[in-house]
Amino acid sequence: MAFRDPIRGKFRCRGLRTAGTSSASRLPSHTYASSVPGKKAKRPQLSSSQFAHEQRFHLSLASHPQAEQPEHQRWSSVSTPLRVYAPTREDTSVVSSSDSDSSDQSQYDIGSIALDPPDQQTASTSSVSTSNILAPVKADMEAMNANLRGIVGGRHPLLVQAADQIFGAGGKKLRPAIVFLASRATCACTGKRDITEQHRRLAEIVEMIHTASLVHDDVLDESSVRRGAPTVNRKFGTKVAVLVGDFLFAQSSWFLAKLDNLEVIKLISQVIADFANGEISQQQKVFDTSMTLEEYMDKNFYKTASLIAASCKSAAVFSDCSQDVKDSMFEYGRHLGLAFQVIDDILDFTQTAEQLGKPQGQDLASGNLTAPVLFALQSAHGDELLDLIDSEFVEEGDLLRAIDLVTAGGGVAAAKRLASEEADKALAFLQCLGDSESKQSMEGMVSYVLDRLY
């Protein structure tokens, strides 16, 4: 059974440990910590002037302790503190009303925040065209695509085919596109007429780092298909795949050093460490139903949001923006990345293998428990789902039954609202930018992330 931990106000699965366990590989526990009703979270006592900048978070600096910042910037205020997203019960036909912890079924208890019912989602999900979003940076992306193939194939002819496989596998290359959009939007703020060569190299570095992480992920997961095409390890073997990933990491590090900007070097170098932390965290939590939503979101930051956040802030650095704008760009990237990953995890349950380009439910089958699963474990179907996960789906039909339970238990609906919350936060951090075509595309990118569900 699921029950509320009276000490931390969090949900736990029966007899399992709380989220309070310390771990060197996790973000600070207050990042998503739920407060007990009636108690205030422990925070430094600051003057009113130190809380002047609403909607700014300390995470970017907490994640990068080497950056020396004034105390008020490390603990700046937010209008709505982040909480652990754990609804008491889903108000769906498959959940018994007798299991509800609240008499008010029109709201979802998630710490101190209440989310709307499924038919009243707050985030916009209007149809968004990627061609329209990427229009301001179309020429930038075309030049980058040509450069990326040359970087790998030009140095090592053995890797030419692998490079075509990697960079031509149908991906939209959203991460470098976000870098270009952030670069142009922040340049508009500082009066620059065009982006610099540093901005362009940054986009290439970001795509190389991201691609290297995917190649290594496919090796670790023994995946044979990505984006509907054979993976590098499937087509060329594990040794070549490992070498390709290593080469891309090494080449990106070399280009990063040549940028000759210590702030950016620190930001992007931290991302590579975050990748390792995220992968280790994920491997340690395989089929572990004691994982909390806080730990899940921490892992998502390490594996997905860290790169987007750091690259957006780095773009602002090269545009000579103020500290406030740089921090806002980090937070935009962080929340956009978190929303993106939650949506990705939802699609694993809602799309077909043909749409996904990989088997449906692959994450769940491999023991990677994501937001829809964690929410569903709190529902009336939680016990049956828990037993299936603990058995690691040994019987034929177990996985399909588990996928059905995740949807029936309201896990997908709750995860959608979680993604919507993160998307709304991302949009809020764009208010620091002046109006421009690139800013509009950055807003459109948030809508596109949510629109992938429809």
Side-chain angles (χ1 to χ4, degrees), residues 24-28 270-271 273-279 281 297-307 338:
S25 65
R26 292 178 52 222
L27 292 174
Q270 182 64 48
V271 169
D274 287 345
F275 279 157
N277 280 335
E279 193 60 47
S281 297
M297 294 297 276
D298 286 353
K299 181 203 69 176
N300 284 356
F301 173 79
Y302 288 133
K303 294 198 65 176
T304 302
S306 175
L307 177 59
L338 291 174

mmCIF file of all heavy atoms in Angstrom, residues 24-28 270-271 273-279 281 297-307 338:
data_model
loop_
_atom_site.group_PDB
_atom_site.id
_atom_site.type_symbol
_atom_site.label_atom_id
_atom_site.label_comp_id
_atom_site.label_asym_id
_atom_site.label_seq_id
_atom_site.Cartn_x
_atom_site.Cartn_y
_atom_site.Cartn_z
ATOM 1 N N ALA A 24 25.486 11.331 -2.703
ATOM 2 C CA ALA A 24 26.374 12.322 -3.289
ATOM 3 C C ALA A 24 26.017 12.616 -4.724
ATOM 4 O O ALA A 24 26.388 13.653 -5.266
ATOM 5 C CB ALA A 24 27.817 11.829 -3.199
ATOM 6 N N SER A 25 25.297 11.716 -5.364
ATOM 7 C CA SER A 25 24.998 11.890 -6.785
ATOM 8 C C SER A 25 23.697 12.645 -7.025
ATOM 9 O O SER A 25 23.299 12.838 -8.157
ATOM 10 C CB SER A 25 24.914 10.525 -7.477
ATOM 11 O OG SER A 25 23.823 9.800 -6.973
ATOM 12 N N ARG A 26 23.017 13.093 -5.940
ATOM 13 C CA ARG A 26 21.735 13.748 -6.111
ATOM 14 C C ARG A 26 21.865 15.246 -5.950
ATOM 15 O O ARG A 26 22.768 15.759 -5.327
ATOM 16 C CB ARG A 26 20.724 13.207 -5.103
ATOM 17 C CG ARG A 26 20.327 11.780 -5.337
ATOM 18 C CD ARG A 26 19.375 11.315 -4.267
ATOM 19 N NE ARG A 26 18.266 12.238 -4.144
ATOM 20 C CZ ARG A 26 17.775 12.613 -2.988
ATOM 21 N NH1 ARG A 26 18.262 12.178 -1.880
ATOM 22 N NH2 ARG A 26 16.768 13.448 -2.939
ATOM 23 N N LEU A 27 20.894 15.968 -6.513
ATOM 24 C CA LEU A 27 20.818 17.393 -6.320
ATOM 25 C C LEU A 27 20.434 17.678 -4.874
ATOM 26 O O LEU A 27 19.971 16.796 -4.164
ATOM 27 C CB LEU A 27 19.757 17.993 -7.247
ATOM 28 C CG LEU A 27 20.085 17.948 -8.746
ATOM 29 C CD1 LEU A 27 18.868 18.433 -9.515
ATOM 30 C CD2 LEU A 27 21.282 18.798 -9.047
ATOM 31 N N PRO A 28 20.616 18.916 -4.396
ATOM 32 C CA PRO A 28 20.210 19.252 -3.031
ATOM 33 C C PRO A 28 18.762 18.870 -2.778
ATOM 34 O O PRO A 28 17.896 19.093 -3.620
ATOM 35 C CB PRO A 28 20.400 20.789 -2.990
ATOM 36 C CG PRO A 28 21.439 21.058 -4.015
ATOM 37 C CD PRO A 28 21.206 20.055 -5.101
ATOM 38 N N GLN A 270 30.570 20.579 -16.348
ATOM 39 C CA GLN A 270 29.691 20.016 -15.325
ATOM 40 C C GLN A 270 28.635 19.110 -15.937
ATOM 41 O O GLN A 270 28.219 18.110 -15.343
ATOM 42 C CB GLN A 270 29.017 21.137 -14.535
ATOM 43 C CG GLN A 270 28.109 20.664 -13.403
ATOM 44 C CD GLN A 270 28.861 19.926 -12.325
ATOM 45 O OE1 GLN A 270 29.903 20.394 -11.861
ATOM 46 N NE2 GLN A 270 28.346 18.776 -11.921
ATOM 47 N N VAL A 271 28.205 19.438 -17.151
ATOM 48 C CA VAL A 271 27.192 18.636 -17.831
ATOM 49 C C VAL A 271 27.685 17.206 -18.039
ATOM 50 O O VAL A 271 26.939 16.233 -17.827
ATOM 51 C CB VAL A 271 26.825 19.269 -19.190
ATOM 52 C CG1 VAL A 271 25.973 18.308 -20.025
ATOM 53 C CG2 VAL A 271 26.077 20.578 -18.979
ATOM 54 N N ALA A 273 29.869 15.590 -16.318
ATOM 55 C CA ALA A 273 29.820 14.915 -15.014
ATOM 56 C C ALA A 273 28.388 14.557 -14.646
ATOM 57 O O ALA A 273 28.123 13.479 -14.084
ATOM 58 C CB ALA A 273 30.439 15.809 -13.943
ATOM 59 N N ASP A 274 27.455 15.435 -14.985
ATOM 60 C CA ASP A 274 26.042 15.161 -14.697
ATOM 61 C C ASP A 274 25.543 13.939 -15.465
ATOM 62 O O ASP A 274 24.751 13.148 -14.940
ATOM 63 C CB ASP A 274 25.182 16.380 -15.044
ATOM 64 C CG ASP A 274 25.346 17.521 -14.043
ATOM 65 O OD1 ASP A 274 25.884 17.270 -12.950
ATOM 66 O OD2 ASP A 274 24.933 18.654 -14.366
ATOM 67 N N PHE A 275 25.987 13.795 -16.704
ATOM 68 C CA PHE A 275 25.597 12.607 -17.474
ATOM 69 C C PHE A 275 25.974 11.332 -16.724
ATOM 70 O O PHE A 275 25.183 10.394 -16.622
ATOM 71 C CB PHE A 275 26.289 12.601 -18.835
ATOM 72 C CG PHE A 275 25.624 13.468 -19.870
ATOM 73 C CD1 PHE A 275 26.341 13.942 -20.960
ATOM 74 C CD2 PHE A 275 24.289 13.808 -19.773
ATOM 75 C CE1 PHE A 275 25.736 14.732 -21.924
ATOM 76 C CE2 PHE A 275 23.670 14.605 -20.728
ATOM 77 C CZ PHE A 275 24.401 15.064 -21.808
ATOM 78 N N ALA A 276 27.200 11.317 -16.233
ATOM 79 C CA ALA A 276 27.661 10.129 -15.507
ATOM 80 C C ALA A 276 26.841 9.920 -14.238
ATOM 81 O O ALA A 276 26.430 8.790 -13.932
ATOM 82 C CB ALA A 276 29.141 10.270 -15.168
ATOM 83 N N ASN A 277 26.573 10.997 -13.512
ATOM 84 C CA ASN A 277 25.756 10.889 -12.300
ATOM 85 C C ASN A 277 24.367 10.347 -12.617
ATOM 86 O O ASN A 277 23.832 9.502 -11.905
ATOM 87 C CB ASN A 277 25.634 12.258 -11.626
ATOM 88 C CG ASN A 277 26.846 12.619 -10.797
ATOM 89 O OD1 ASN A 277 27.565 11.743 -10.323
ATOM 90 N ND2 ASN A 277 27.082 13.907 -10.636
ATOM 91 N N GLY A 278 23.777 10.869 -13.694
ATOM 92 C CA GLY A 278 22.439 10.427 -14.064
ATOM 93 C C GLY A 278 22.400 8.966 -14.457
ATOM 94 O O GLY A 278 21.480 8.235 -14.082
ATOM 95 N N GLU A 279 23.402 8.519 -15.212
ATOM 96 C CA GLU A 279 23.425 7.125 -15.645
ATOM 97 C C GLU A 279 23.636 6.192 -14.455
ATOM 98 O O GLU A 279 23.004 5.139 -14.354
ATOM 99 C CB GLU A 279 24.536 6.924 -16.677
ATOM 100 C CG GLU A 279 24.446 5.601 -17.416
ATOM 101 C CD GLU A 279 23.154 5.444 -18.183
ATOM 102 O OE1 GLU A 279 22.750 6.365 -18.901
ATOM 103 O OE2 GLU A 279 22.514 4.372 -18.044
ATOM 104 N N SER A 281 22.835 6.855 -11.334
ATOM 105 C CA SER A 281 21.588 6.885 -10.556
ATOM 106 C C SER A 281 20.539 5.971 -11.173
ATOM 107 O O SER A 281 19.825 5.251 -10.462
ATOM 108 C CB SER A 281 21.051 8.322 -10.482
ATOM 109 O OG SER A 281 21.945 9.173 -9.812
ATOM 110 N N MET A 297 13.192 13.181 -10.668
ATOM 111 C CA MET A 297 13.430 14.486 -11.267
ATOM 112 C C MET A 297 14.909 14.869 -11.200
ATOM 113 O O MET A 297 15.434 15.522 -12.114
ATOM 114 C CB MET A 297 12.566 15.542 -10.579
ATOM 115 C CG MET A 297 11.081 15.348 -10.801
ATOM 116 S SD MET A 297 10.586 15.494 -12.543
ATOM 117 C CE MET A 297 10.424 17.268 -12.698
ATOM 118 N N ASP A 298 15.581 14.472 -10.148
ATOM 119 C CA ASP A 298 17.026 14.699 -10.074
ATOM 120 C C ASP A 298 17.733 13.995 -11.230
ATOM 121 O O ASP A 298 18.595 14.569 -11.909
ATOM 122 C CB ASP A 298 17.585 14.166 -8.743
ATOM 123 C CG ASP A 298 17.221 15.051 -7.551
ATOM 124 O OD1 ASP A 298 16.652 16.132 -7.766
ATOM 125 O OD2 ASP A 298 17.496 14.640 -6.419
ATOM 126 N N LYS A 299 17.359 12.738 -11.459
ATOM 127 C CA LYS A 299 17.964 11.970 -12.548
ATOM 128 C C LYS A 299 17.675 12.630 -13.889
ATOM 129 O O LYS A 299 18.549 12.701 -14.773
ATOM 130 C CB LYS A 299 17.425 10.541 -12.536
ATOM 131 C CG LYS A 299 18.006 9.642 -13.619
ATOM 132 C CD LYS A 299 17.089 8.476 -13.931
ATOM 133 C CE LYS A 299 15.830 8.930 -14.620
ATOM 134 N NZ LYS A 299 14.950 7.823 -15.030
ATOM 135 N N ASN A 300 16.463 13.117 -14.062
ATOM 136 C CA ASN A 300 16.106 13.793 -15.302
ATOM 137 C C ASN A 300 16.934 15.054 -15.515
ATOM 138 O O ASN A 300 17.288 15.393 -16.648
ATOM 139 C CB ASN A 300 14.619 14.154 -15.312
ATOM 140 C CG ASN A 300 13.735 12.960 -15.581
ATOM 141 O OD1 ASN A 300 14.215 11.857 -15.843
ATOM 142 N ND2 ASN A 300 12.427 13.153 -15.499
ATOM 143 N N PHE A 301 17.212 15.752 -14.421
ATOM 144 C CA PHE A 301 18.069 16.932 -14.559
ATOM 145 C C PHE A 301 19.449 16.518 -15.037
ATOM 146 O O PHE A 301 19.991 17.089 -15.985
ATOM 147 C CB PHE A 301 18.188 17.679 -13.230
ATOM 148 C CG PHE A 301 19.193 18.805 -13.287
ATOM 149 C CD1 PHE A 301 18.852 20.019 -13.864
ATOM 150 C CD2 PHE A 301 20.485 18.627 -12.817
ATOM 151 C CE1 PHE A 301 19.794 21.043 -13.964
ATOM 152 C CE2 PHE A 301 21.422 19.639 -12.907
ATOM 153 C CZ PHE A 301 21.074 20.854 -13.477
ATOM 154 N N TYR A 302 20.019 15.526 -14.397
ATOM 155 C CA TYR A 302 21.363 15.089 -14.763
ATOM 156 C C TYR A 302 21.437 14.617 -16.211
ATOM 157 O O TYR A 302 22.356 14.970 -16.947
ATOM 158 C CB TYR A 302 21.822 13.941 -13.851
ATOM 159 C CG TYR A 302 22.139 14.363 -12.438
ATOM 160 C CD1 TYR A 302 21.634 13.637 -11.350
ATOM 161 C CD2 TYR A 302 22.939 15.453 -12.170
ATOM 162 C CE1 TYR A 302 21.926 13.998 -10.042
ATOM 163 C CE2 TYR A 302 23.237 15.827 -10.866
ATOM 164 C CZ TYR A 302 22.729 15.095 -9.805
ATOM 165 O OH TYR A 302 23.019 15.449 -8.527
ATOM 166 N N LYS A 303 20.465 13.813 -16.638
ATOM 167 C CA LYS A 303 20.553 13.150 -17.941
ATOM 168 C C LYS A 303 20.039 14.006 -19.098
ATOM 169 O O LYS A 303 20.443 13.795 -20.245
ATOM 170 C CB LYS A 303 19.784 11.830 -17.921
ATOM 171 C CG LYS A 303 20.367 10.774 -17.002
ATOM 172 C CD LYS A 303 19.866 9.390 -17.343
ATOM 173 C CE LYS A 303 20.332 8.940 -18.701
ATOM 174 N NZ LYS A 303 19.938 7.553 -19.023
ATOM 175 N N THR A 304 19.151 14.940 -18.833
ATOM 176 C CA THR A 304 18.526 15.694 -19.917
ATOM 177 C C THR A 304 18.603 17.201 -19.728
ATOM 178 O O THR A 304 19.086 17.925 -20.601
ATOM 179 C CB THR A 304 17.046 15.275 -20.066
ATOM 180 O OG1 THR A 304 16.970 13.869 -20.320
ATOM 181 C CG2 THR A 304 16.380 16.033 -21.210
ATOM 182 N N ALA A 305 18.101 17.689 -18.599
ATOM 183 C CA ALA A 305 17.938 19.132 -18.436
ATOM 184 C C ALA A 305 19.252 19.870 -18.223
ATOM 185 O O ALA A 305 19.373 21.042 -18.590
ATOM 186 C CB ALA A 305 16.996 19.408 -17.260
ATOM 187 N N SER A 306 20.244 19.210 -17.647
ATOM 188 C CA SER A 306 21.519 19.880 -17.362
ATOM 189 C C SER A 306 22.140 20.454 -18.628
ATOM 190 O O SER A 306 22.596 21.603 -18.645
ATOM 191 C CB SER A 306 22.478 18.893 -16.690
ATOM 192 O OG SER A 306 23.758 19.477 -16.518
ATOM 193 N N LEU A 307 22.177 19.674 -19.699
ATOM 194 C CA LEU A 307 22.787 20.133 -20.946
ATOM 195 C C LEU A 307 22.029 21.320 -21.529
ATOM 196 O O LEU A 307 22.633 22.311 -21.966
ATOM 197 C CB LEU A 307 22.826 18.990 -21.962
ATOM 198 C CG LEU A 307 23.372 19.340 -23.351
ATOM 199 C CD1 LEU A 307 24.801 19.855 -23.264
ATOM 200 C CD2 LEU A 307 23.291 18.134 -24.278
ATOM 201 N N LEU A 338 13.305 19.376 -18.255
ATOM 202 C CA LEU A 338 12.529 18.485 -17.395
ATOM 203 C C LEU A 338 11.186 18.145 -18.035
ATOM 204 O O LEU A 338 10.743 16.989 -18.009
ATOM 205 C CB LEU A 338 12.317 19.131 -16.024
ATOM 206 C CG LEU A 338 13.569 19.261 -15.145
ATOM 207 C CD1 LEU A 338 13.252 20.053 -13.878
ATOM 208 C CD2 LEU A 338 14.149 17.898 -14.798
#
